[in-house]
Amino acid sequence: MDAVVLVSGAAAVTPYTSADSAAGQGLAAGNTLTALRAHLLERHAAVFTAPARIGDGEVSEDTGWQGFADVPEVLPAAVTINAVGDIDAAGRKLAAFLRWLAVDHGATSVSLVAHSMGGLFCRAALRELGSDTPAVSRLITLGTPWHGALLGDVLTGEVTADDAQGDAATLRILGASPAYAAENSQGAAAEVSARYLSEWNATQTGVLDDVPVTVIGGAHFAAHSEPDRLWPHDGLVSLRSALATDVPAAVLPRVERHTVAGDVHSIFFANGLDLPWERALTWDPAVFEIVDAALTA
């Protein structure tokens, strides 16, 4: 069986779901992946979501904003991503989940569709899997910080308030970043800076040689074009980073790039800006069309 595996990002709480099993209350696959999962189910895909939570352990509910409960199948901590931990540890958990899919569901190959830091988790999992089953046939990333996120770059000083050039919304985002990182990170925030990822990317040389990659970036915030380490951005990731512009060809040899100009990073940003959820990368039908094309290429 060929499967599509959806992977959420940092600080996201996501239940394990299969094509016929999901959370019975709230958002069926969590606030990141529910709409994308529903779309793929309509296309009759064998779609799964990788379980993730804040901290180590199992995930059975999310009592936060737009959460979920009544999960019929709770997987063990050994295959559940700690969404606020470090990239490589998350990759090991995701690799273990993919091996479980191969054994328990007969998945011989998988397409990975990842949001935000989930794309980094996928890359770490690919290195961990090596030649193990299942084979990864493609990787699709939505708003992934291939070369840093605003959160990490603020913490390292690579992005400053001066870079916002007076844009009120961007100033609020940058100003809130240190406190958010302190409350919601067990290592993830420090690893989504350009400084860290430029070195980490080098360790990934060769991992994606046989994997076609599609990257999708949002560019809702476009008041300025410089500095391009910030502008334009989706609220959390610059378009330059989401499109993996600075990732060497030795690391990313086969890539197709797409920009969705009006989209923000997630429904959290859409909600805060009084935008419809369909303006978020994982809820936008225009993004779904790009994902469909990549999955069937």
Side-chain angles (χ1 to χ4, degrees), residues 96-209:
F97 172 73
L98 296 176
R99 293 186 185 107
W100 176 83
L101 277 183
V103 173
D104 278 48
H105 289 271
T108 55
S109 66
V110 297
S111 294
L112 299 175
V113 184
H115 177 246
S116 193
M117 203 169 176
L120 303 179
F121 301 160
C122 288
R123 294 174 60 199
L126 275 161
R127 187 176 62 185
E128 180 74 17
L129 274 175
S131 59
D132 289 355
T133 302
V136 175
S137 55
R138 61 184 56 79
L139 170 64
I140 303 168
T141 67
L142 287 62
T144 286
W146 282 81
H147 205 262
L150 274 60
L151 182 67
D153 288 344
V154 166
L155 295 179
T156 59
E158 292 158 285
V159 168
T160 70
D162 289 342
D163 295 327
Q165 301 185 60
D167 182 76
T170 301
L171 281 169
R172 287 197 300 274
I173 292 166
L174 299 184
S177 292
Y180 181 85
E183 294 174 6
N184 296 281
S185 177
Q186 297 174 5
E191 294 185 355
V192 286
S193 69
R195 183 178 302 169
Y196 180 88
L197 288 173
S198 62
E199 297 181 4
W200 186 83
N201 280 329
T203 71
Q204 294 288 307
T205 300
V207 172
L208 293 172
D209 282 357

